[in-house]
Amino acid sequence: MTEDYRIESDTIGEVKIPVNALWGAQTERSRNNFPTGAKMPLEIIKALLQIKKAAAIANKEVEAIDGKKADLIVEAIDTLLALSDEDLRKDFPLVVYQTGSGTQTNMNVNEVVAHQAAKINADIEILPNDDVNHGQSSNDIFPTAMNLTAAAAVNRLEASLQHLIDELKQKQEKYWTTVKIGRTHLQDATPLTFGQEVSGWVSALEHDLDYLKTLGQTLSEIAMGGTAVGTGLNAAPHFADIIAEKMSDLYNLKFTADSNKFYGLAHHSGLNVVHGAIKTLASDLMKIANDVRFLASGPRAGYNELNIPANEPGSSIMPGKVNSTQAEAITMAAVRVMGNDVVVNVASSQGNFEMNVYKPVLIDAFLESAELLEGTMRGFADKMIAGLTVNAERMEELVDNSLMTVTALSPHIGYHESATIAQTAEKEGTTLKVAALKSGLVTEEQFDQWVVPIDMTNINK
């Protein structure tokens, strides 16, 4: 042993390990063999710790390991879970881009728990494989951790989405009768109210929330008890059921071990389909955020229908500029989610024979997507939508100058004659009313009776 390192060995041979590190030989090999990329998400580490705690309790209940060993494992894990994220990370240095089963991260957890147990009570020997990992393999515990963390992330995402829906509903109600011009194909269309426009956004997000809730149920199946290939070899009877019950209580979500283990190890269809719903949410958020920022463009040379909060200076060179930064943030997040969906799709397809070997990159992409949308939706709701107001005068001006209100004349004088009036107004640069009266087909009284923008919105029907 040197001043900076201690020597441990595994089935391959001796390894030099930093003297104060809680990890062991297999973690050190992985740390040196795979130095590239982001660290394994701490959510996965915490989930693995919680599963191993439940496994120790389950193994004790079914008398698969000595009770004192189980109690010490639980105490060691509780000590680790009590650490701050910063302190916990110090002993979990491995990256996402490692073995595709997550085995090295599983062993990282096993080794750290064993060493932590030795610090608490050196008189009881706790072995990483035989004790901490008893009745488990990386092949069933890692996908279990994936589903636990994904389900919890989706739950948080749903809460953030509901918050945004609630903020938008307030604007929908407030501006239900505020008339503005509609636009299709980026061209003027018939009027609607801003409240009606917002109601479309709300409905899209409510559908997205329903998709998440419905599809999210597929994450409730856990692979525990499948061990190496799905046969359950070396797992005690009822072991997985006890873990599922404890994880349900811990996460306040329903999990079940009553599942096909061969599916659980080799397929990640649930994660794939739920991420598809997250991508759908991202698509809708992209559309909504783009609508908001375009309608707020200006203030002098854009649509200028909406006023957005001034959260920060918008330019390093143009004084007084305000930008729609919250919309920019959430649309960038949406782009990332769309890219992550490709990762999840391809990774899910790589279930060769009895095990998928793209697990770490799949769950890393999934959790990133959920976290990005959860955070940017809250920012968008609180720092943009909450402070959003309408420029009613500008909306009225655009409605008054629009040629598409001519649609209200069509039932009375016909489509062709109405089109001619609109084309005349555009060509001569006059208002629709002037062109209509000039045509001789409509009296002023008739025009004022038929072309009423608020009536064209059908909000009273």
Side-chain angles (χ1 to χ4, degrees):
M1 180 173 178
T2 67
E3 181 180 348
D4 297 322
Y5 293 91
R6 68 179 190 271
I7 302 296
E8 289 193 15
S9 61
D10 56 17
T11 56
I12 295 179
E14 292 185 342
V15 182
K16 293 168 65 176
I17 302 169
V19 67
N20 293 320
L22 284 181
W23 63 77
Q26 292 196 43
T27 302
E28 186 64 17
R29 289 189 190 280
S30 180
R31 194 168 74 96
N32 289 298
N33 290 338
F34 304 101
T36 306
K39 297 288 191 291
M40 186 67 68
L42 276 180
E43 295 99 319
I44 289 290
I45 303 300
K46 292 177 181 178
L48 289 170
L49 286 167
Q50 293 285 8
I51 298 167
K52 289 182 183 297
K53 176 181 175 180
I57 295 170
N59 280 321
K60 179 181 178 181
E61 287 185 18
V62 300
E63 299 181 345
I65 65 171
D66 178 76
K68 290 183 178 179
K69 284 192 172 187
D71 292 342
L72 183 54
I73 290 171
V74 169
E75 185 178 355
I77 291 174
D78 283 341
T79 302
L80 293 167
L81 290 171
L83 296 173
S84 67
D85 285 355
E86 182 179 0
D87 288 336
L88 184 64
R89 172 58 76 189
K90 293 175 183 177
D91 287 300
F92 296 97
L94 302 189
V95 298
V96 169
Y97 299 94
Q98 49 162 284
T99 176
S101 60
T103 297
Q104 289 149 4
T105 287
N106 182 41
M107 283 307 304
N108 184 186
V109 175
N110 291 332
E111 290 172 344
V112 169
V113 171
H115 281 99
Q116 182 63 41
K119 289 177 65 176
I120 296 171
N121 187 347
D123 293 333
I124 300 177
E125 184 180 28
I126 300 295
L127 298 176
N129 294 83
D130 294 335
D131 299 319
V132 184
N133 200 59
H134 192 92
Q136 312 149 48
S137 73
S138 304
N139 301 355
D140 63 358
I141 193 172
F142 199 89
T144 296
M146 291 168 69
N147 274 26
L148 295 181
T149 56
V154 170
N155 198 42
R156 294 190 297 270
L157 180 64
E158 290 171 357
S160 181
L161 175 53
Q162 185 62 61
H163 177 60
L164 176 56
I165 289 170
D166 292 342
E167 288 291 340
L168 285 169
K169 280 186 172 180
Q170 292 184 42
K171 302 302 176 182
Q172 173 185 324
E173 181 179 355
K174 182 175 182 179
Y175 298 114
W176 186 248
T177 60
T178 302
V179 180
K180 55 162 288 179
I181 199 64
R183 296 179 179 88
T184 58
H185 304 271
L186 297 180
Q187 302 297 307
D188 296 354
T190 56
L192 75 166
T193 72
F194 184 57
Q196 289 175 319
E197 188 168 36
V198 175
S199 77
W201 303 343
V202 168
S203 184
L205 296 180
E206 287 178 332
H207 279 81
D208 293 332
L209 183 59
D210 184 61
Y211 302 150
L212 287 170
K213 288 182 179 295
T214 301
L215 295 172
Q217 296 175 30
T218 189
L219 300 177
S220 66
E221 298 181 10
I222 63 173
M224 287 307 297
T227 64
V229 297
T231 61
L233 180 65
N234 291 348
H238 309 300
F239 169 77
D241 294 325
I242 296 171
I243 293 175
E245 182 180 351
K246 292 189 179 301
M247 292 302 99
S248 297
D249 292 340
L250 176 68
Y251 285 91
N252 198 29
L253 295 167
K254 179 61 177 176
F255 294 105
T256 178
D258 184 15
S259 59
N260 185 294
K261 305 307 179 186
F262 305 101
Y263 164 82
L265 273 58
H267 301 265
H268 293 301
S269 309
L271 289 164
N272 196 7
V273 73
V274 174
H275 194 276
I278 296 176
K279 180 197 67 175
T280 301
L281 170 61
S283 299
D284 286 332
L285 290 170
M286 173 79 82
K287 183 262 194 272
I288 293 166
N290 278 337
D291 281 357
V292 171
R293 63 175 167 177
F294 285 131
L295 291 174
S297 63
R300 299 292 177 86
Y303 291 105
N304 192 29
E305 290 188 5
L306 301 178
N307 305 308
I308 58 174
N311 294 322
E312 63 273 311
S315 173
S316 62
I317 192 172
M318 294 175 281
K321 198 169 190 290
V322 175
N323 294 333
S324 53
T325 52
Q326 290 296 324
E328 291 167 6
I330 201 169
T331 53
M332 286 192 291
V335 167
R336 186 69 178 190
V337 171
M338 293 171 191
N340 282 345
D341 196 61
V342 176
V343 174
V344 173
N345 278 321
V346 175
S348 295
S349 74
Q350 300 304 304
N352 308 119
F353 306 117
E354 277 63 64
M355 186 175 65
N356 178 290
V357 290
Y358 285 70
K359 288 175 168 51
V361 72
L362 195 162
I363 191 59
D364 183 59
F366 187 105
L367 293 177
E368 181 187 39
S369 293
E371 180 183 6
L372 281 173
L373 292 191
E374 178 199 354
T376 54
M377 277 196 298
R378 287 199 178 276
F380 187 64
D382 295 340
K383 295 182 172 60
M384 175 166 276
I385 299 303
L388 191 72
T389 60
V390 304
N391 188 342
E393 291 182 1
R394 174 63 171 167
M395 288 181 172
E396 183 179 1
E397 173 192 354
L398 292 174
V399 170
D400 289 344
N401 288 329
S402 172
L403 303 180
M404 288 303 97
T405 52
V406 74
T407 306
L409 296 179
S410 186
H412 303 284
I413 64 174
Y415 180 92
H416 181 78
E417 288 76 9
S418 298
T420 300
I421 290 173
Q423 291 163 355
T424 299
E426 173 66 10
K427 181 179 180 180
E428 296 181 358
T430 65
T431 65
L432 186 67
K433 184 174 183 178
V434 168
L437 297 182
K438 182 180 178 180
S439 72
L441 298 172
V442 179
T443 67
E444 183 172 6
E445 181 181 1
Q446 289 172 325
F447 186 93
D448 291 340
Q449 180 182 355
W450 294 337
V451 183
V452 182
I454 187 68
D455 292 342
M456 296 175 71
T457 67
N458 280 332
I459 63 170
N460 295 319
K461 291 186 179 180

